[in-house]
Amino acid sequence: MASRTIETLVGCFVAAGIGAVAFMALKVGGWDSLGKSESYVITAEFSNIGGLTAKAPVTLAGVAIGRVEDITINRDDYSALVAMRIDSRYDNLPEDTSASILTAGLLGAQYVGLEPGADDFYLEDGGKIQITQSAVVLEHLIGQMLFNQAGGG
Amino acid sequence: MHWLQALGRSAISSINGLGRATLFLVDLVACLGELRRRFAEVMAQLHNIGVLTLSIIVVAALFVGMVLGLQGYNTLVDFGAESSLGLAVALFLTRELGPVLSALLFAGRAGSALTAEIGLMKATQQLDAMEMMAVDPMRLVVVPRYVAGVVALPLLAAIFSVVGLFGGYIIGVGLLGVDSGTYWSSIKEGVDVFDDVFNGIIKSIVFGFVVTWIAVFQGYDATPTSAGVSRATTQTVVAASLAVLGLDYVLTALMFGKV
């Protein structure tokens, strides 16, 4: 085969390979959405986070606006401290915003839902959400129901 | 005591082989500096090793992606989690199947051809003839093939993963009715560019080094007879496949073990 044909074919091959790497990095890995946008971190304390994990989405009115970055235990009062990285486009969350841990579907993954308040001051980087609602743990719910039924009957 | 002696002999010969392979690699790396002068030869080998392997990679990837889509859907639908189909397919492909399966196919398609080619050159005394003409066969024959193999495999693995994703898409979205937007967004949400994509690429680079090393060494080290070349070719496919699978476990434990 002529060397020009070979070189063209190799060129196509290398271009396709590099294109595939780029596709994986940008479209599959989601690098484009990570790199461009600025973000800030807010925290919230929950008495029980249920099955919440790092990387779970943080939503406002159902729209994902950030991710759970880190979950630790507060040594002083044994509550769970959840750090959330929020996209800087949404930097106008009022200070009295409340956070609750919700479940997608009946058995789906858990996520953090934010409910905006009415305060004039906005949460800033490192800010802390005061009003939180813990995850609903199915076992507690069933236990409570059984307890109520026993009391009623 | 016969079997003990045989055991000892085979242990010594395999250790000898490992030593020769290591020395061979050292020689090979020492010759890499003059690569610029061999550019045309590297091109020709990239065509042999990369472009001609592309068809088997694309076809295999398409079917693997389609099977992943089908199997993944049937498993996930039991948990009502079929919206995560894209994520499952993408993680399987980027972390494991892309690098590993393309390395196995590469060993079978390109590795065996490399061994047979170099082995036959040795058997027909072409390598000796080059040395007689003061041409180092290491530089002229081995190095361009090695470099081409190391460059080609990561590219093939990336193409494998991408084609596999579309295979999963065809089945998941086209046949089973997963939403097209959900398929791609679950992938984007769940796949991390460093943890998953780059680690997969690192895997395929390691496999490229090892598979091509085994292939060119087996050819260079083959007994210069037709039986010897045939044994070396078999040995390449067996050793390279086992090395890929074993290394894959080690790399996976290093990369994803702590999660």
Side-chain angles (χ1 to χ4, degrees), chain B residues 206-245:
Chain B
V206 173
F207 294 159
F209 270 103
V210 173
V211 171
T212 325
W213 175 30
I214 292 175
V216 290
F217 172 71
Q218 288 289 353
Y220 205 74
D221 197 53
T223 318
T225 58
S226 40
V229 173
S230 123
R231 197 166 52 240
T233 312
T234 313
Q235 198 68 55
T236 294
V237 178
V238 173
S241 305
L242 289 179
V244 164
L245 294 171

PDB file of all heavy atoms in Angstrom, chain B residues 206-245:
ATOM      1  N   VAL B 206      -0.915   0.653  30.818  1.00  0.00           N
ATOM      2  CA  VAL B 206      -0.122  -0.430  31.430  1.00  0.00           C
ATOM      3  C   VAL B 206      -0.245  -1.704  30.597  1.00  0.00           C
ATOM      4  O   VAL B 206       0.755  -2.371  30.298  1.00  0.00           O
ATOM      5  CB  VAL B 206      -0.584  -0.674  32.879  1.00  0.00           C
ATOM      6  CG1 VAL B 206       0.105  -1.903  33.453  1.00  0.00           C
ATOM      7  CG2 VAL B 206      -0.290   0.532  33.744  1.00  0.00           C
ATOM      8  N   PHE B 207      -1.487  -2.020  30.191  1.00  0.00           N
ATOM      9  CA  PHE B 207      -1.691  -3.230  29.390  1.00  0.00           C
ATOM     10  C   PHE B 207      -0.938  -3.134  28.067  1.00  0.00           C
ATOM     11  O   PHE B 207      -0.377  -4.132  27.586  1.00  0.00           O
ATOM     12  CB  PHE B 207      -3.182  -3.450  29.097  1.00  0.00           C
ATOM     13  CG  PHE B 207      -3.991  -3.745  30.329  1.00  0.00           C
ATOM     14  CD1 PHE B 207      -5.357  -3.546  30.335  1.00  0.00           C
ATOM     15  CD2 PHE B 207      -3.389  -4.222  31.472  1.00  0.00           C
ATOM     16  CE1 PHE B 207      -6.105  -3.810  31.471  1.00  0.00           C
ATOM     17  CE2 PHE B 207      -4.118  -4.490  32.607  1.00  0.00           C
ATOM     18  CZ  PHE B 207      -5.476  -4.275  32.598  1.00  0.00           C
ATOM     19  N   GLY B 208      -0.924  -1.941  27.467  1.00  0.00           N
ATOM     20  CA  GLY B 208      -0.207  -1.749  26.210  1.00  0.00           C
ATOM     21  C   GLY B 208       1.275  -2.062  26.371  1.00  0.00           C
ATOM     22  O   GLY B 208       1.864  -2.781  25.560  1.00  0.00           O
ATOM     23  N   PHE B 209       1.882  -1.536  27.453  1.00  0.00           N
ATOM     24  CA  PHE B 209       3.284  -1.823  27.732  1.00  0.00           C
ATOM     25  C   PHE B 209       3.512  -3.325  27.838  1.00  0.00           C
ATOM     26  O   PHE B 209       4.417  -3.885  27.210  1.00  0.00           O
ATOM     27  CB  PHE B 209       3.699  -1.172  29.066  1.00  0.00           C
ATOM     28  CG  PHE B 209       4.231   0.213  28.924  1.00  0.00           C
ATOM     29  CD1 PHE B 209       3.449   1.305  29.257  1.00  0.00           C
ATOM     30  CD2 PHE B 209       5.517   0.425  28.464  1.00  0.00           C
ATOM     31  CE1 PHE B 209       3.927   2.588  29.128  1.00  0.00           C
ATOM     32  CE2 PHE B 209       6.012   1.711  28.338  1.00  0.00           C
ATOM     33  CZ  PHE B 209       5.210   2.793  28.661  1.00  0.00           C
ATOM     34  N   VAL B 210       2.670  -3.982  28.656  1.00  0.00           N
ATOM     35  CA  VAL B 210       2.942  -5.380  28.991  1.00  0.00           C
ATOM     36  C   VAL B 210       2.680  -6.299  27.801  1.00  0.00           C
ATOM     37  O   VAL B 210       3.513  -7.153  27.470  1.00  0.00           O
ATOM     38  CB  VAL B 210       2.099  -5.788  30.212  1.00  0.00           C
ATOM     39  CG1 VAL B 210       2.230  -7.269  30.454  1.00  0.00           C
ATOM     40  CG2 VAL B 210       2.557  -5.014  31.424  1.00  0.00           C
ATOM     41  N   VAL B 211       1.528  -6.115  27.138  1.00  0.00           N
ATOM     42  CA  VAL B 211       1.175  -7.029  26.049  1.00  0.00           C
ATOM     43  C   VAL B 211       2.191  -6.919  24.915  1.00  0.00           C
ATOM     44  O   VAL B 211       2.685  -7.931  24.396  1.00  0.00           O
ATOM     45  CB  VAL B 211      -0.254  -6.736  25.534  1.00  0.00           C
ATOM     46  CG1 VAL B 211      -0.528  -7.530  24.270  1.00  0.00           C
ATOM     47  CG2 VAL B 211      -1.273  -7.073  26.593  1.00  0.00           C
ATOM     48  N   THR B 212       2.556  -5.681  24.546  1.00  0.00           N
ATOM     49  CA  THR B 212       3.498  -5.525  23.446  1.00  0.00           C
ATOM     50  C   THR B 212       4.879  -6.033  23.833  1.00  0.00           C
ATOM     51  O   THR B 212       5.585  -6.633  23.012  1.00  0.00           O
ATOM     52  CB  THR B 212       3.580  -4.054  23.012  1.00  0.00           C
ATOM     53  OG1 THR B 212       2.309  -3.465  23.157  1.00  0.00           O
ATOM     54  CG2 THR B 212       4.019  -3.930  21.593  1.00  0.00           C
ATOM     55  N   TRP B 213       5.242  -5.803  25.084  1.00  0.00           N
ATOM     56  CA  TRP B 213       6.535  -6.310  25.574  1.00  0.00           C
ATOM     57  C   TRP B 213       6.586  -7.827  25.430  1.00  0.00           C
ATOM     58  O   TRP B 213       7.531  -8.384  24.868  1.00  0.00           O
ATOM     59  CB  TRP B 213       6.709  -5.871  27.030  1.00  0.00           C
ATOM     60  CG  TRP B 213       7.922  -6.400  27.728  1.00  0.00           C
ATOM     61  CD1 TRP B 213       9.120  -6.718  27.156  1.00  0.00           C
ATOM     62  CD2 TRP B 213       8.050  -6.672  29.113  1.00  0.00           C
ATOM     63  NE1 TRP B 213       9.988  -7.156  28.117  1.00  0.00           N
ATOM     64  CE2 TRP B 213       9.363  -7.146  29.332  1.00  0.00           C
ATOM     65  CE3 TRP B 213       7.194  -6.549  30.216  1.00  0.00           C
ATOM     66  CZ2 TRP B 213       9.830  -7.506  30.591  1.00  0.00           C
ATOM     67  CZ3 TRP B 213       7.658  -6.902  31.469  1.00  0.00           C
ATOM     68  CH2 TRP B 213       8.956  -7.376  31.652  1.00  0.00           C
ATOM     69  N   ILE B 214       5.553  -8.503  25.927  1.00  0.00           N
ATOM     70  CA  ILE B 214       5.525  -9.964  25.823  1.00  0.00           C
ATOM     71  C   ILE B 214       5.591 -10.397  24.364  1.00  0.00           C
ATOM     72  O   ILE B 214       6.348 -11.309  23.996  1.00  0.00           O
ATOM     73  CB  ILE B 214       4.257 -10.517  26.510  1.00  0.00           C
ATOM     74  CG1 ILE B 214       4.351 -10.300  28.018  1.00  0.00           C
ATOM     75  CG2 ILE B 214       4.070 -11.997  26.195  1.00  0.00           C
ATOM     76  CD1 ILE B 214       3.117 -10.707  28.775  1.00  0.00           C
ATOM     77  N   ALA B 215       4.824  -9.693  23.502  1.00  0.00           N
ATOM     78  CA  ALA B 215       4.751 -10.115  22.097  1.00  0.00           C
ATOM     79  C   ALA B 215       6.113  -9.994  21.407  1.00  0.00           C
ATOM     80  O   ALA B 215       6.584 -10.944  20.774  1.00  0.00           O
ATOM     81  CB  ALA B 215       3.701  -9.289  21.363  1.00  0.00           C
ATOM     82  N   VAL B 216       6.764  -8.828  21.547  1.00  0.00           N
ATOM     83  CA  VAL B 216       8.034  -8.666  20.824  1.00  0.00           C
ATOM     84  C   VAL B 216       9.124  -9.542  21.446  1.00  0.00           C
ATOM     85  O   VAL B 216       9.955 -10.101  20.738  1.00  0.00           O
ATOM     86  CB  VAL B 216       8.489  -7.187  20.737  1.00  0.00           C
ATOM     87  CG1 VAL B 216       7.607  -6.402  19.817  1.00  0.00           C
ATOM     88  CG2 VAL B 216       8.541  -6.537  22.093  1.00  0.00           C
ATOM     89  N   PHE B 217       9.075  -9.703  22.779  1.00  0.00           N
ATOM     90  CA  PHE B 217      10.092 -10.548  23.408  1.00  0.00           C
ATOM     91  C   PHE B 217       9.944 -11.998  22.960  1.00  0.00           C
ATOM     92  O   PHE B 217      10.941 -12.651  22.626  1.00  0.00           O
ATOM     93  CB  PHE B 217      10.009 -10.465  24.933  1.00  0.00           C
ATOM     94  CG  PHE B 217      10.909 -11.464  25.605  1.00  0.00           C
ATOM     95  CD1 PHE B 217      12.279 -11.299  25.585  1.00  0.00           C
ATOM     96  CD2 PHE B 217      10.380 -12.579  26.242  1.00  0.00           C
ATOM     97  CE1 PHE B 217      13.108 -12.229  26.179  1.00  0.00           C
ATOM     98  CE2 PHE B 217      11.209 -13.515  26.831  1.00  0.00           C
ATOM     99  CZ  PHE B 217      12.580 -13.335  26.805  1.00  0.00           C
ATOM    100  N   GLN B 218       8.709 -12.493  22.950  1.00  0.00           N
ATOM    101  CA  GLN B 218       8.508 -13.892  22.548  1.00  0.00           C
ATOM    102  C   GLN B 218       8.995 -14.116  21.119  1.00  0.00           C
ATOM    103  O   GLN B 218       9.572 -15.158  20.810  1.00  0.00           O
ATOM    104  CB  GLN B 218       7.029 -14.276  22.660  1.00  0.00           C
ATOM    105  CG  GLN B 218       6.515 -14.426  24.084  1.00  0.00           C
ATOM    106  CD  GLN B 218       7.064 -15.646  24.784  1.00  0.00           C
ATOM    107  OE1 GLN B 218       7.746 -16.468  24.184  1.00  0.00           O
ATOM    108  NE2 GLN B 218       6.787 -15.761  26.075  1.00  0.00           N
ATOM    109  N   GLY B 219       8.760 -13.137  20.237  1.00  0.00           N
ATOM    110  CA  GLY B 219       9.239 -13.269  18.873  1.00  0.00           C
ATOM    111  C   GLY B 219      10.753 -13.279  18.812  1.00  0.00           C
ATOM    112  O   GLY B 219      11.371 -14.108  18.141  1.00  0.00           O
ATOM    113  N   TYR B 220      11.360 -12.358  19.552  1.00  0.00           N
ATOM    114  CA  TYR B 220      12.810 -12.192  19.520  1.00  0.00           C
ATOM    115  C   TYR B 220      13.506 -13.378  20.150  1.00  0.00           C
ATOM    116  O   TYR B 220      14.627 -13.728  19.776  1.00  0.00           O
ATOM    117  CB  TYR B 220      13.160 -10.905  20.275  1.00  0.00           C
ATOM    118  CG  TYR B 220      14.458 -10.271  19.851  1.00  0.00           C
ATOM    119  CD1 TYR B 220      14.535  -9.597  18.643  1.00  0.00           C
ATOM    120  CD2 TYR B 220      15.586 -10.321  20.662  1.00  0.00           C
ATOM    121  CE1 TYR B 220      15.705  -9.003  18.252  1.00  0.00           C
ATOM    122  CE2 TYR B 220      16.764  -9.722  20.278  1.00  0.00           C
ATOM    123  CZ  TYR B 220      16.817  -9.064  19.062  1.00  0.00           C
ATOM    124  OH  TYR B 220      17.981  -8.472  18.671  1.00  0.00           O
ATOM    125  N   ASP B 221      12.829 -13.988  21.137  1.00  0.00           N
ATOM    126  CA  ASP B 221      13.432 -15.060  21.923  1.00  0.00           C
ATOM    127  C   ASP B 221      13.055 -16.439  21.388  1.00  0.00           C
ATOM    128  O   ASP B 221      13.456 -17.455  21.942  1.00  0.00           O
ATOM    129  CB  ASP B 221      12.964 -14.911  23.376  1.00  0.00           C
ATOM    130  CG  ASP B 221      13.840 -15.693  24.332  1.00  0.00           C
ATOM    131  OD1 ASP B 221      15.060 -15.500  24.281  1.00  0.00           O
ATOM    132  OD2 ASP B 221      13.307 -16.496  25.115  1.00  0.00           O
ATOM    133  N   ALA B 222      12.246 -16.472  20.304  1.00  0.00           N
ATOM    134  CA  ALA B 222      11.728 -17.759  19.833  1.00  0.00           C
ATOM    135  C   ALA B 222      12.853 -18.665  19.353  1.00  0.00           C
ATOM    136  O   ALA B 222      13.874 -18.196  18.834  1.00  0.00           O
ATOM    137  CB  ALA B 222      10.738 -17.518  18.697  1.00  0.00           C
ATOM    138  N   THR B 223      12.643 -19.979  19.530  1.00  0.00           N
ATOM    139  CA  THR B 223      13.558 -20.937  18.920  1.00  0.00           C
ATOM    140  C   THR B 223      13.394 -20.821  17.408  1.00  0.00           C
ATOM    141  O   THR B 223      12.263 -20.880  16.913  1.00  0.00           O
ATOM    142  CB  THR B 223      13.183 -22.367  19.354  1.00  0.00           C
ATOM    143  OG1 THR B 223      12.875 -22.331  20.743  1.00  0.00           O
ATOM    144  CG2 THR B 223      14.315 -23.324  19.095  1.00  0.00           C
ATOM    145  N   PRO B 224      14.483 -20.621  16.651  1.00  0.00           N
ATOM    146  CA  PRO B 224      14.337 -20.311  15.226  1.00  0.00           C
ATOM    147  C   PRO B 224      13.979 -21.514  14.364  1.00  0.00           C
ATOM    148  O   PRO B 224      14.667 -21.856  13.412  1.00  0.00           O
ATOM    149  CB  PRO B 224      15.699 -19.727  14.848  1.00  0.00           C
ATOM    150  CG  PRO B 224      16.639 -20.301  15.842  1.00  0.00           C
ATOM    151  CD  PRO B 224      15.882 -20.544  17.092  1.00  0.00           C
ATOM    152  N   THR B 225      12.875 -22.172  14.690  1.00  0.00           N
ATOM    153  CA  THR B 225      12.342 -23.243  13.841  1.00  0.00           C
ATOM    154  C   THR B 225      10.853 -22.987  13.687  1.00  0.00           C
ATOM    155  O   THR B 225      10.295 -22.151  14.400  1.00  0.00           O
ATOM    156  CB  THR B 225      12.508 -24.613  14.508  1.00  0.00           C
ATOM    157  OG1 THR B 225      11.835 -24.566  15.774  1.00  0.00           O
ATOM    158  CG2 THR B 225      13.960 -24.956  14.751  1.00  0.00           C
ATOM    159  N   SER B 226      10.215 -23.716  12.775  1.00  0.00           N
ATOM    160  CA  SER B 226       8.779 -23.455  12.609  1.00  0.00           C
ATOM    161  C   SER B 226       8.021 -23.850  13.869  1.00  0.00           C
ATOM    162  O   SER B 226       7.088 -23.160  14.285  1.00  0.00           O
ATOM    163  CB  SER B 226       8.246 -24.201  11.386  1.00  0.00           C
ATOM    164  OG  SER B 226       8.818 -25.479  11.316  1.00  0.00           O
ATOM    165  N   ALA B 227       8.443 -24.952  14.524  1.00  0.00           N
ATOM    166  CA  ALA B 227       7.782 -25.337  15.771  1.00  0.00           C
ATOM    167  C   ALA B 227       8.010 -24.281  16.840  1.00  0.00           C
ATOM    168  O   ALA B 227       7.094 -23.949  17.608  1.00  0.00           O
ATOM    169  CB  ALA B 227       8.310 -26.685  16.243  1.00  0.00           C
ATOM    170  N   GLY B 228       9.232 -23.732  16.885  1.00  0.00           N
ATOM    171  CA  GLY B 228       9.548 -22.725  17.888  1.00  0.00           C
ATOM    172  C   GLY B 228       8.707 -21.478  17.716  1.00  0.00           C
ATOM    173  O   GLY B 228       8.202 -20.911  18.686  1.00  0.00           O
ATOM    174  N   VAL B 229       8.541 -21.028  16.467  1.00  0.00           N
ATOM    175  CA  VAL B 229       7.747 -19.828  16.216  1.00  0.00           C
ATOM    176  C   VAL B 229       6.295 -20.066  16.599  1.00  0.00           C
ATOM    177  O   VAL B 229       5.639 -19.219  17.219  1.00  0.00           O
ATOM    178  CB  VAL B 229       7.853 -19.410  14.731  1.00  0.00           C
ATOM    179  CG1 VAL B 229       6.905 -18.271  14.432  1.00  0.00           C
ATOM    180  CG2 VAL B 229       9.273 -19.020  14.412  1.00  0.00           C
ATOM    181  N   SER B 230       5.800 -21.273  16.264  1.00  0.00           N
ATOM    182  CA  SER B 230       4.405 -21.552  16.606  1.00  0.00           C
ATOM    183  C   SER B 230       4.229 -21.577  18.116  1.00  0.00           C
ATOM    184  O   SER B 230       3.246 -21.050  18.648  1.00  0.00           O
ATOM    185  CB  SER B 230       3.986 -22.875  15.966  1.00  0.00           C
ATOM    186  OG  SER B 230       3.537 -23.769  16.924  1.00  0.00           O
ATOM    187  N   ARG B 231       5.212 -22.160  18.834  1.00  0.00           N
ATOM    188  CA  ARG B 231       5.106 -22.189  20.297  1.00  0.00           C
ATOM    189  C   ARG B 231       5.168 -20.778  20.863  1.00  0.00           C
ATOM    190  O   ARG B 231       4.421 -20.428  21.781  1.00  0.00           O
ATOM    191  CB  ARG B 231       6.227 -23.051  20.873  1.00  0.00           C
ATOM    192  CG  ARG B 231       5.946 -23.471  22.310  1.00  0.00           C
ATOM    193  CD  ARG B 231       6.848 -24.578  22.788  1.00  0.00           C
ATOM    194  NE  ARG B 231       8.252 -24.296  22.587  1.00  0.00           N
ATOM    195  CZ  ARG B 231       9.058 -25.048  21.842  1.00  0.00           C
ATOM    196  NH1 ARG B 231       8.589 -26.129  21.246  1.00  0.00           N
ATOM    197  NH2 ARG B 231      10.317 -24.728  21.697  1.00  0.00           N
ATOM    198  N   ALA B 232       6.051 -19.949  20.313  1.00  0.00           N
ATOM    199  CA  ALA B 232       6.177 -18.580  20.812  1.00  0.00           C
ATOM    200  C   ALA B 232       4.885 -17.807  20.606  1.00  0.00           C
ATOM    201  O   ALA B 232       4.469 -17.020  21.466  1.00  0.00           O
ATOM    202  CB  ALA B 232       7.334 -17.877  20.103  1.00  0.00           C
ATOM    203  N   THR B 233       4.227 -18.030  19.462  1.00  0.00           N
ATOM    204  CA  THR B 233       2.983 -17.323  19.193  1.00  0.00           C
ATOM    205  C   THR B 233       1.908 -17.716  20.209  1.00  0.00           C
ATOM    206  O   THR B 233       1.226 -16.861  20.778  1.00  0.00           O
ATOM    207  CB  THR B 233       2.496 -17.646  17.773  1.00  0.00           C
ATOM    208  OG1 THR B 233       3.591 -17.495  16.883  1.00  0.00           O
ATOM    209  CG2 THR B 233       1.378 -16.729  17.366  1.00  0.00           C
ATOM    210  N   THR B 234       1.783 -19.018  20.458  1.00  0.00           N
ATOM    211  CA  THR B 234       0.835 -19.476  21.467  1.00  0.00           C
ATOM    212  C   THR B 234       1.164 -18.871  22.819  1.00  0.00           C
ATOM    213  O   THR B 234       0.288 -18.370  23.530  1.00  0.00           O
ATOM    214  CB  THR B 234       0.905 -21.010  21.588  1.00  0.00           C
ATOM    215  OG1 THR B 234       0.881 -21.555  20.289  1.00  0.00           O
ATOM    216  CG2 THR B 234      -0.238 -21.535  22.406  1.00  0.00           C
ATOM    217  N   GLN B 235       2.463 -18.918  23.136  1.00  0.00           N
ATOM    218  CA  GLN B 235       2.919 -18.407  24.424  1.00  0.00           C
ATOM    219  C   GLN B 235       2.556 -16.936  24.595  1.00  0.00           C
ATOM    220  O   GLN B 235       2.157 -16.513  25.679  1.00  0.00           O
ATOM    221  CB  GLN B 235       4.437 -18.580  24.478  1.00  0.00           C
ATOM    222  CG  GLN B 235       5.017 -18.514  25.867  1.00  0.00           C
ATOM    223  CD  GLN B 235       4.597 -19.703  26.703  1.00  0.00           C
ATOM    224  OE1 GLN B 235       4.802 -20.810  26.300  1.00  0.00           O
ATOM    225  NE2 GLN B 235       3.988 -19.474  27.838  1.00  0.00           N
ATOM    226  N   THR B 236       2.668 -16.165  23.514  1.00  0.00           N
ATOM    227  CA  THR B 236       2.328 -14.746  23.587  1.00  0.00           C
ATOM    228  C   THR B 236       0.879 -14.563  23.994  1.00  0.00           C
ATOM    229  O   THR B 236       0.573 -13.807  24.916  1.00  0.00           O
ATOM    230  CB  THR B 236       2.543 -14.082  22.212  1.00  0.00           C
ATOM    231  OG1 THR B 236       3.916 -14.108  21.923  1.00  0.00           O
ATOM    232  CG2 THR B 236       2.041 -12.659  22.215  1.00  0.00           C
ATOM    233  N   VAL B 237      -0.019 -15.268  23.314  1.00  0.00           N
ATOM    234  CA  VAL B 237      -1.439 -15.063  23.598  1.00  0.00           C
ATOM    235  C   VAL B 237      -1.754 -15.513  25.022  1.00  0.00           C
ATOM    236  O   VAL B 237      -2.436 -14.817  25.776  1.00  0.00           O
ATOM    237  CB  VAL B 237      -2.299 -15.814  22.564  1.00  0.00           C
ATOM    238  CG1 VAL B 237      -3.762 -15.650  22.888  1.00  0.00           C
ATOM    239  CG2 VAL B 237      -2.007 -15.320  21.179  1.00  0.00           C
ATOM    240  N   VAL B 238      -1.210 -16.666  25.428  1.00  0.00           N
ATOM    241  CA  VAL B 238      -1.500 -17.175  26.773  1.00  0.00           C
ATOM    242  C   VAL B 238      -0.922 -16.254  27.834  1.00  0.00           C
ATOM    243  O   VAL B 238      -1.628 -15.796  28.743  1.00  0.00           O
ATOM    244  CB  VAL B 238      -0.933 -18.606  26.928  1.00  0.00           C
ATOM    245  CG1 VAL B 238      -1.064 -19.069  28.360  1.00  0.00           C
ATOM    246  CG2 VAL B 238      -1.631 -19.558  26.001  1.00  0.00           C
ATOM    247  N   ALA B 239       0.381 -15.955  27.705  1.00  0.00           N
ATOM    248  CA  ALA B 239       1.034 -15.158  28.742  1.00  0.00           C
ATOM    249  C   ALA B 239       0.452 -13.749  28.797  1.00  0.00           C
ATOM    250  O   ALA B 239       0.208 -13.213  29.882  1.00  0.00           O
ATOM    251  CB  ALA B 239       2.540 -15.107  28.486  1.00  0.00           C
ATOM    252  N   ALA B 240       0.200 -13.151  27.616  1.00  0.00           N
ATOM    253  CA  ALA B 240      -0.313 -11.782  27.614  1.00  0.00           C
ATOM    254  C   ALA B 240      -1.714 -11.741  28.218  1.00  0.00           C
ATOM    255  O   ALA B 240      -2.030 -10.848  29.008  1.00  0.00           O
ATOM    256  CB  ALA B 240      -0.334 -11.233  26.187  1.00  0.00           C
ATOM    257  N   SER B 241      -2.559 -12.734  27.886  1.00  0.00           N
ATOM    258  CA  SER B 241      -3.915 -12.732  28.437  1.00  0.00           C
ATOM    259  C   SER B 241      -3.875 -12.879  29.946  1.00  0.00           C
ATOM    260  O   SER B 241      -4.555 -12.144  30.677  1.00  0.00           O
ATOM    261  CB  SER B 241      -4.738 -13.864  27.838  1.00  0.00           C
ATOM    262  OG  SER B 241      -4.735 -13.779  26.440  1.00  0.00           O
ATOM    263  N   LEU B 242      -3.061 -13.816  30.436  1.00  0.00           N
ATOM    264  CA  LEU B 242      -2.977 -14.013  31.883  1.00  0.00           C
ATOM    265  C   LEU B 242      -2.402 -12.778  32.561  1.00  0.00           C
ATOM    266  O   LEU B 242      -2.884 -12.360  33.617  1.00  0.00           O
ATOM    267  CB  LEU B 242      -2.125 -15.244  32.197  1.00  0.00           C
ATOM    268  CG  LEU B 242      -2.779 -16.573  31.843  1.00  0.00           C
ATOM    269  CD1 LEU B 242      -1.844 -17.724  32.182  1.00  0.00           C
ATOM    270  CD2 LEU B 242      -4.093 -16.732  32.596  1.00  0.00           C
ATOM    271  N   ALA B 243      -1.388 -12.172  31.937  1.00  0.00           N
ATOM    272  CA  ALA B 243      -0.790 -10.976  32.529  1.00  0.00           C
ATOM    273  C   ALA B 243      -1.819  -9.851  32.615  1.00  0.00           C
ATOM    274  O   ALA B 243      -1.894  -9.134  33.624  1.00  0.00           O
ATOM    275  CB  ALA B 243       0.417 -10.530  31.710  1.00  0.00           C
ATOM    276  N   VAL B 244      -2.625  -9.700  31.562  1.00  0.00           N
ATOM    277  CA  VAL B 244      -3.635  -8.641  31.567  1.00  0.00           C
ATOM    278  C   VAL B 244      -4.632  -8.876  32.688  1.00  0.00           C
ATOM    279  O   VAL B 244      -4.952  -7.969  33.473  1.00  0.00           O
ATOM    280  CB  VAL B 244      -4.354  -8.575  30.201  1.00  0.00           C
ATOM    281  CG1 VAL B 244      -5.639  -7.783  30.306  1.00  0.00           C
ATOM    282  CG2 VAL B 244      -3.444  -7.965  29.163  1.00  0.00           C
ATOM    283  N   LEU B 245      -5.122 -10.116  32.819  1.00  0.00           N
ATOM    284  CA  LEU B 245      -6.144 -10.380  33.835  1.00  0.00           C
ATOM    285  C   LEU B 245      -5.569 -10.232  35.248  1.00  0.00           C
ATOM    286  O   LEU B 245      -6.209  -9.661  36.129  1.00  0.00           O
ATOM    287  CB  LEU B 245      -6.723 -11.782  33.636  1.00  0.00           C
ATOM    288  CG  LEU B 245      -7.505 -11.918  32.325  1.00  0.00           C
ATOM    289  CD1 LEU B 245      -7.879 -13.359  32.067  1.00  0.00           C
ATOM    290  CD2 LEU B 245      -8.748 -11.054  32.346  1.00  0.00           C
TER     291      LEU B 245
END
